[in-house]
Amino acid sequence: MLEHAIQALKISKEEFAAQEPGLRVDLINAQYDLKSADFSVVLLIAGDDRLGGNEVIQLLHEWMDARYLETHIFRAPSSEELERPRFWRYWRVLPPHGKIGVYVGAWALNAVGERVRGEIDGDAFAQRLAHIRQFEQDLLADGALVLKFWVHIPHKDLKKRLKKAKKDDDTSWRVEEIDWQVYEIHDKAMPYIETLLEATETESCPWCVLDGSNPRVRDLSFAKTLLSALQQRLATAPPLPSAAPELVQEYPDALAQVDLTQALTKEDYARQLEKHQARLAKLTRRAREDGVSSVLVFEGWDAAGKGGVIRRITQAMAVRDYRVVPIAAPTEEERVRHYLWRFWRQLPPAGQMLIFDRSWYGRVLVERVEGFARPDEWQRAYDEIVDFESQLTERGMVVQKFWLHIDADEQLARFKAREKTPYKKYKITDEDYRNRERWDDYVAAVNEMVARTSMPSAPWHLIPANDKRQARTQVLDALCTALKKALN
Amino acid sequence: MLEHAIQALKISKEEFAAQEPGLRVDLINAQYDLKSADFSVVLLIAGDDRLGGNEVIQLLHEWMDARYLETHIFRAPSSEELERPRFWRYWRVLPPHGKIGVYVGAWALNAVGERVRGEIDGDAFAQRLAHIRQFEQDLLADGALVLKFWVHIPHKDLKKRLKKAKKDDDTSWRVEEIDWQVYEIHDKAMPYIETLLEATETESCPWCVLDGSNPRVRDLSFAKTLLSALQQRLATAPPLPSAAPELVQEYPDALAQVDLTQALTKEDYARQLEKHQARLAKLTRRAREDGVSSVLVFEGWDAAGKGGVIRRITQAMAVRDYRVVPIAAPTEEERVRHYLWRFWRQLPPAGQMLIFDRSWYGRVLVERVEGFARPDEWQRAYDEIVDFESQLTERGMVVQKFWLHIDADEQLARFKAREKTPYKKYKITDEDYRNRERWDDYVAAVNEMVARTSMPSAPWHLIPANDKRQARTQVLDALCTALKKALN
């Protein structure tokens, strides 16, 4: 892809000067219109030409209104970033609707850099490229305009430029130590760059390669590509992704396999609870010392007892070692970004356990069943979620997911019992009763979710919860087993 | 204050058990009601009794719904925290309305710890206490319920407990190395603790000292104090702070002193601009290398040319060295917290320049003049702002504030000129014309702001801006001078 970018095209100073004013007005006006748009712009500027890339970025900030660009350079990761999955630093600064996020180098340059320096092998590089594809796909599917520029300079031109700069006092300060370092590996990096560009080139998110050695051509090409993409997206929303045709596929009825008759006597429960909680206390202390963090997901029927199970976990732990995040309606800042953003931003520091009381699975459960998400939205969510959780486990996090299962009769009995509770938070509303009418739809959704998002490293546990004691000890046992395995 | 907390009071196991169930129901229900309240709860739990404090925190998470507690332990600061003012870590996790933020140790224990270890001297300790008072005052004035508990144990009881634990295999694991370290300095810390408690004791935000050596008394006292404070605040909003009576005080008419006739020829401007931008380029490179960050504030009349001035600054800099933050309407997450939160969360990492296009001064300018803030709100803002900026400069940040001044005729001429501009963002609305009617009110507000928030380390520059060239070079010059001073 790179060689095609280098053309003999020339643009004179005069021609450039003639085009500049109109382009600038149009760019600024497009940026103004964007402010009230319902999508965000993710602008990736990377390349093997550091100086050329910097000039493009300066031009962008000069020609557009720098106040409405959120530019991120990604120096050495902070300690907080090092404790999270690699893409956390990109997710955390995701622009909201109406804003342009400028990512400099970012995931593209990092992947190549690590591969060239031998920090990752071919397999890890391929895995990284898959994450990049999924990440860009996530943003696009969410309606973002994603624009990717690669600033390229042929090796011989880079050499010429650096030598010239060395002699020339006026420009020598612009060349830094790092430019010579880049030069040293420039040639070696080319095959990896080609691989990156090809692997992440898609119809809806193509690369635009800029010729770094030809500044006027480069700048005009950049500005015009950016402008026309902005104007086009502002004029016409892309067609909604079409949902897959109604699936004939049947998923195994995993819920039907759950034996709801299991129960524990009070005495057995007391003994087992004590045993498992003591185990958990020791394991979580070790997890803190070893810096191993975990992410737990709790889903289940209303009144299945999620809160009670979570309490039996946290009881055994020091407060500093866990955080519970209940998922309710998203805030405004969350609504104007990809739906996974609100979960990415919560990810725990090293050694901490993060417990989600409801989670991103709402997308394929309540949002699917109640029609809050479009079919294309919840259908693609399985891939998005699998990629998200893979990044957690690849970072060494323990990921365990629990579905607390009760039957409809048990739920009804619990609703009735709650009518007498002194706890306001357990009050039952008409909506709770209405939700019961969709029981079968939820069963289908749960079965598909379990089939499509269970992974050896991030399994679903279907927990029989008609008997609360049974549910609590079984969750504790599964959790301890997973922690023990991770800590060995 | 500490000795009064230790009482001979005793509570039997039976008495405790009899009170527990009712307290728990009431606490959970208060927490439920809080969810829809328009204030937040800041719960500080600190003390010289580490084990006792931990037990109180465990009790809190056991008796209340841990899912709706946001608990923060404050381990060693992250690299991101070390690059910001000390209180950044407390501000960044400020709970929104409807939530309880539990701060463990936090600003109280840190201040004492640093003083005991000799990391700060008496003056710095006194300064810290002033910041704490202002911080708590900020939260209270914003309507937060602030509750402070200090868990105290007499030195001899601490010794007894540690010795006993050492012998007892069952509890020895609870005593960690740090407990012996705490014991070593426990006695020495007492005078500083007394100073802290007295200096930060106020009528609206008193300390509640708990007797750590008497667990049942301690726990009941904690739970009842918390419950009654919650219930009382939920039942009756505190009276609005009364605004100071209409001030007779006249502030110097600083704006009248600005010589608006100053102007630069095109040639002088070109020469000076080049000179100052070259200076700025070098200074900001050095600031990056030295890790010196700056915070610039731009305020001024509509059409005074803020955007143009900011562009002349950023033109001279590498994109990675600055970020421009335009201040518009706050987001939902910002509206449910103290108004300074949105500025705290933006503070720059080491070496970066953060440029605010409008700022927290909106509180004492547009919000005051247009009546968006109550008199008590904008009147206390001066102290809040002075404390905020002091924390930036104490952290070594360069803080410079610019008011771009034009007269009403010049503004009218610019409005007229803008009617012909091709830039949509410069379109003039009826509101812009309406704002002109309040010109004199704004003059009074600016003069008071300048008089009450100018500090040697964070000065206001009143910039004559009828001539744009004059304004731009003068800002660049002032900025370079300030940077140079900070870098020497």
Side-chain angles (χ1 to χ4, degrees), chain A residues 16 18 38 41 44 87 105 140 144 176 185 200 209 254 258 369 375 397 405 432 447:
Chain A
F16 187 90
D38 65 348
V41 179
L44 173 64
F87 278 55
L140 286 165
E176 301 176 26
I185 55 171
T200 56
V209 179
V258 180
V369 172
M397 292 182 173
H405 190 45
D432 292 312
N447 283 330

Side-chain angles (χ1 to χ4, degrees), chain B residues 396-415:
Chain B
M397 291 181 174
V398 175
V399 178
Q400 300 286 312
K401 304 173 293 197
F402 299 91
W403 174 267
L404 299 194
H405 190 44
I406 56 177
D407 58 34
D409 291 345
E410 176 65 23
Q411 187 187 52
L412 189 62
R414 291 189 187 180
F415 280 7

Side-chain angles (χ1 to χ4, degrees), chain A residues 111-264:
Chain A
V112 171
E114 287 175 41
R115 184 69 190 100
V116 175
R117 293 190 299 270
E119 291 162 20
I120 53 175
D121 63 13
D123 285 350
F125 187 57
Q127 189 188 49
R128 183 75 63 82
L129 296 181
H131 286 314
I132 292 177
R133 268 196 308 273
Q134 183 65 49
F135 178 55
E136 295 176 352
Q137 208 48 53
D138 285 359
L139 302 181
L140 286 165
D142 190 47
L145 174 63
V146 182
L147 297 170
K148 305 187 293 189
F149 293 91
W150 188 272
V151 189
H152 172 58
I153 187 166
H155 196 61
K156 60 177 194 326
D157 291 326
L158 179 59
K159 189 172 181 180
K160 227 185 293 171
R161 181 202 288 164
L162 292 179
K163 289 207 163 165
K164 181 159 170 279
K166 213 176 175 180
K167 281 189 226 148
D168 182 350
D169 266 0
D170 271 0
T171 57
S172 63
W173 63 267
R174 292 171 54 222
V175 176
E176 301 176 26
E177 180 54 31
I178 190 175
D179 288 299
W180 290 101
Q181 289 165 8
V182 167
Y183 172 72
E184 289 302 323
I185 55 171
H186 190 258
D187 235 11
K188 193 179 156 201
M190 283 308 139
Y192 301 124
I193 293 173
E194 290 279 4
T195 306
L196 167 89
L197 295 182
E198 273 158 35
T200 56
E201 171 88 5
T202 61
E203 203 185 323
S204 50
C205 191
W207 279 98
C208 172
V209 179
L210 301 172
D211 178 357
S213 61
N214 194 337
R216 284 193 292 270
V217 172
R218 175 197 71 198
D219 289 351
L220 277 191
S221 162
F222 170 73
K224 286 180 175 176
T225 306
L226 173 59
L227 175 63
S228 89
L230 276 173
Q231 287 178 332
Q232 198 181 322
R233 181 70 178 77
L234 285 164
T236 354
L240 289 180
S242 55
E246 200 53 54
L247 294 178
V248 206
Q249 192 174 355
E250 285 283 326
Y251 294 95
D253 191 353
L255 285 184
Q257 308 304 313
V258 180
D259 176 7
L260 288 176
T261 64
Q262 297 172 70
L264 276 181

Side-chain angles (χ1 to χ4, degrees), chain A residues 21 24-26 28-30 32-33 50 54 57-58 61-69 71-73 75 77-81 88 92 99 173 176 285 288 306-307 310-311 314-315 317-326 330-335 341 345 349-352 357 422-427, chain B residues 21 24-26 28-30 32-33 50 54 57-58 61-69 71-73 75 77-81 88 92 99 173 176 285 288 306-307 310-311 314-315 317-326 330-335 341 345 349-352 357 422-427:
Chain A
R24 293 176 70 150
V25 170
D26 289 349
I28 293 274
N29 283 344
Y32 178 86
D33 291 338
R50 209 187 72 90
N54 279 348
I57 292 158
Q58 289 291 141
H61 287 72
E62 174 80 22
W63 285 19
M64 293 191 91
D65 191 335
R67 291 175 297 179
Y68 300 97
L69 300 173
T71 303
H72 307 287
I73 307 285
R75 309 154 198 235
S78 71
S79 61
E80 297 184 27
E81 289 170 341
W88 188 67
R92 71 191 292 215
K99 286 262 174 77
W173 63 267
E176 301 176 26
R285 265 203 311 283
R288 179 208 311 157
K306 290 192 301 295
I310 292 172
R311 282 169 57 78
T314 56
Q315 273 174 355
M317 298 176 65
V319 168
R320 63 171 155 168
D321 291 336
Y322 68 85
R323 196 156 52 88
V324 187
V325 176
T331 66
E332 176 191 314
E333 293 194 20
E334 291 167 345
R335 284 194 303 273
W341 182 73
R345 71 193 296 216
Q352 199 183 59
D357 182 353
Y423 290 104
K424 297 184 197 177
K425 67 171 175 169
Y426 287 139
K427 286 291 173 245
Chain B
R24 293 176 70 150
V25 170
D26 289 348
I28 293 273
N29 283 343
Y32 177 87
D33 291 338
R50 209 186 72 90
N54 279 348
I57 292 158
Q58 289 291 142
H61 287 73
E62 174 79 22
W63 286 19
M64 293 191 93
D65 191 334
R67 291 175 297 179
Y68 300 97
L69 299 173
T71 303
H72 307 286
I73 308 284
R75 309 154 198 235
S78 71
S79 61
E80 296 184 28
E81 289 170 340
W88 188 68
R92 72 192 292 216
K99 286 263 175 78
W173 63 267
E176 300 176 27
R285 264 204 311 283
R288 179 208 310 157
K306 290 192 301 296
I310 292 172
R311 282 169 56 78
T314 56
Q315 273 174 354
M317 298 176 65
V319 168
R320 63 171 155 169
D321 291 336
Y322 69 85
R323 196 156 52 87
V324 187
V325 176
T331 66
E332 177 192 311
E333 293 195 19
E334 291 167 345
R335 284 194 303 274
W341 182 73
R345 71 193 295 216
Q352 199 183 60
D357 182 354
Y423 290 103
K424 297 184 197 178
K425 66 171 176 170
Y426 287 139
K427 286 291 173 246

Side-chain angles (χ1 to χ4, degrees), chain B residues 209-226:
Chain B
V209 179
L210 302 172
D211 178 358
S213 61
N214 194 338
R216 284 193 293 270
V217 172
R218 175 196 71 198
D219 289 351
L220 277 191
S221 162
F222 170 73
K224 286 180 175 176
T225 306
L226 173 58

